[in-house]
Amino acid sequence: MRIFVTGGAGFIGSQFIRDWVTRFPGSPVINFDKLTYAGNLANLAPVAGEPGYSFLEGDVCDKDALLEAIPENADAIVHFAAESHVDRSIAGAAEFVRSNVMGTQVLLDVARERKVKRFLHISTDEVGGTMDPQEWFKEDGKLDPRSPYAASKAAAEHLVRAAGATFGLDYIITRTGNNYGPYQFPEKLLPLAICNALEGQRIPVYGDGMQIRDWVHVSDNVRALMLLLRHGRAGQTYHIGGGVPRTNLEVLAMLLSLVGQPQSLLVRVADRLGHDRRYAVDISKISAEFNWAPRIPFAQGLRETIQWYQENQAWVNAVRSGEYRTYYQRQYSQLQQAKHTGSAGVI
Ligand code: NAD
Ligand code: TYD
């Protein structure tokens, strides 16, 4: 398969590419990413020199760049690129509308022009809005986005479905719960809390901390994405999740006891505006059709994720200091130097 991945320098996209290159060595995969604050080429360091993998810096709103980058008859586009943090969308929604809505439409147009065979669109359980206590979000449930981020993702979904109905685009939409695992930018709850806990720093709890989220390990999500990319039914939406929604306080209590820090590190802060109380994603469709289930129990995944952050302090420091933003440039100039002096080097 020849695939074109957008947003592959982010958290989930980079896991997808690392796993793809490991599973299908030599199979061509292009990573197209704007390298916003959330894009970090260090996330691709383990596969950067592998045959088949290539990186192109670019914006999904840039039609000319996409037309140049996407090969005719590519087997698939896997569309991760998006602004992804709810708090940032509350602070300013414009970039969310631009990248998540406009960007998706531009990509859909180019997919059609380039006769791409399949469009795998990565969406979120947040498009369903907050769920009542016993309610589960199913694939045919109503969309009720309540943050600018969720609204932009819901709009993008509509555009994908419209391209399917209008132009016969072969698409699949996935909606995932909260992913966690290595290489996640420490602004989202778990990586932020892990980094703070490891340093004995306080952890901000929004409101009463009783908000409920469904946590799925990023590797389990990526395994589902690869399955659906190859075998999913065209025009379908599939939910992916961990199956065990938990309160933020429960998750943070587990984390602190695993790290061996006191619960007193948790500090209540002002609640997020319009904070969704409960997400609970129903995963019975993908389970029934493909026998897919998450394999990594939350306690194990959390322990391993903590260990990853402990062992990758250099990655954390580079992100926190902002040094990661020059990683690519440094690698690139090293490559140029290596070429100049005749020694080997690959970005
Ligand atoms: P992320 O913020 O870690 O990474 C996003 C990536 O997209 C970055 O590399 C960034 O540089 C790139 N990007 C942003 N705007 C771009 C643009 N205009 N053009 C090209 N590249 C651009 O996000 P993530 O957590 O890896 O999420 C990936 C996708 O999965 C997103 O679409 C998100 O909405 C969705 N999702 C995430 C979660 C989660 O828990 N993280 C849950 C459900 C769905
Ligand atoms: P987050 O990781 O931002 O993901 P999302 O809002 O997309 O679910 O937040 C997860 C939950 O944790 C959410 O209920 C907000 C809460 N939260 C905190 O309590 N403190 C924090 O510092 C952050 C970032 C989030």
Side-chain angles (χ1 to χ4, degrees):
M1 270 185 129
R2 285 183 311 158
I3 63 166
F4 184 84
V5 175
T6 71
F11 167 49
I12 307 176
S14 68
Q15 180 79 43
F16 182 91
I17 291 176
R18 292 192 304 275
D19 289 358
W20 181 273
V21 168
T22 309
R23 267 185 78 179
F24 310 108
S27 171
V29 48
I30 299 169
N31 174 13
F32 184 90
D33 196 297
K34 188 181 171 188
L35 297 183
T36 68
Y37 80 93
N40 184 350
L41 284 175
N43 301 355
L44 282 316
V47 295
E50 295 296 325
Y53 171 75
S54 53
F55 171 73
L56 289 173
E57 186 170 348
D59 187 332
V60 287
C61 297
D62 183 345
K63 186 170 183 185
D64 291 340
L66 286 172
L67 278 168
E68 206 169 299
I70 299 180
E72 187 88 16
N73 289 316
D75 289 295
I77 289 176
V78 187
H79 182 32
F80 293 99
E83 289 293 331
S84 69
H85 190 39
V86 173
D87 292 333
R88 286 181 188 256
S89 80
I90 294 168
E95 201 50 37
F96 286 72
V97 175
R98 204 189 77 86
S99 283
N100 301 5
V101 185
M102 285 274 298
T104 299
Q105 184 56 51
V106 174
L107 193 59
L108 287 165
D109 291 340
V110 177
R112 187 152 53 93
E113 266 189 63
R114 283 282 173 258
K115 301 184 180 62
V116 174
K117 294 180 189 143
R118 171 155 276 191
F119 193 99
L120 176 57
H121 180 73
I122 313 303
S123 190
T124 167
D125 63 352
E126 304 194 24
V127 297
T130 196
M131 297 283 119
D132 288 336
Q134 302 304 324
E135 194 186 2
W136 292 80
F137 185 35
K138 291 186 187 298
E139 282 81 353
D140 59 0
K142 78 170 167 39
L143 302 196
D144 185 20
R146 289 162 32 88
S147 71
Y149 163 66
S152 71
K153 294 295 289 186
E157 278 197 19
H158 285 311
L159 293 171
V160 175
R161 274 188 291 272
T166 313
F167 301 111
L169 179 83
D170 177 318
Y171 73 86
I172 287 175
I173 294 172
T174 63
R175 299 193 191 118
T176 325
N178 286 56
N179 284 234
Y180 72 99
Y183 297 98
Q184 188 170 23
F185 193 86
E187 65 177 352
K188 306 270 168 68
L189 177 66
L190 267 182
L192 176 86
I194 291 172
C195 292
N196 285 12
L198 288 173
E199 291 175 351
Q201 303 284 341
R202 291 189 294 184
I203 297 166
V205 177
Y206 296 173
D208 65 3
M210 294 304 285
Q211 303 82 6
I212 292 174
R213 296 292 183 265
D214 177 305
W215 297 94
V216 63
H217 194 278
V218 64
S219 307
D220 275 330
N221 178 27
V222 161
R223 190 167 47 82
L225 297 179
M226 288 189 188
L227 190 66
L228 294 170
L229 179 60
R230 291 178 303 144
H231 305 296
R233 287 184 293 132
Q236 294 290 312
T237 299
Y238 293 93
H239 286 179
I240 303 165
V244 189
R246 298 164 197 275
T247 65
N248 292 341
L249 281 182
E250 182 189 345
V251 166
L252 293 172
M254 278 175 84
L255 163 61
L256 286 170
S257 79
L258 284 168
V259 174
Q261 291 281 12
Q263 303 292 321
S264 56
L265 284 187
L266 301 180
V267 283
R268 294 238 169 122
V269 298
D271 206 353
R272 172 185 282 172
L273 297 177
H275 199 165
D276 282 343
R277 204 69 189 155
R278 177 170 176 268
Y279 298 141
V281 69
D282 182 304
I283 57 172
S284 52
K285 181 172 171 178
I286 188 172
S287 308
E289 282 189 30
F290 297 104
N291 202 20
W292 179 91
R295 286 184 188 154
I296 304 176
F298 185 66
Q300 178 196 328
L302 185 57
R303 200 177 320 112
E304 289 171 1
T305 304
I306 294 167
Q307 194 180 343
W308 187 89
Y309 278 90
Q310 257 167 336
E311 289 170 357
N312 288 274
Q313 206 54 53
W315 183 93
V316 174
N317 292 341
V319 167
R320 284 182 155 178
S321 68
E323 195 204 330
Y324 75 108
R325 304 220 59 179
T326 57
Y327 175 86
Y328 174 61
Q329 283 80 348
R330 268 191 292 118
Q331 296 293 307
Y332 190 74
S333 72
Q334 272 167 20
L335 176 67
Q336 297 310 308
Q337 250 180 343
K339 276 187 179 156
H340 196 65
T341 56
S343 58
V346 190
I347 295 181

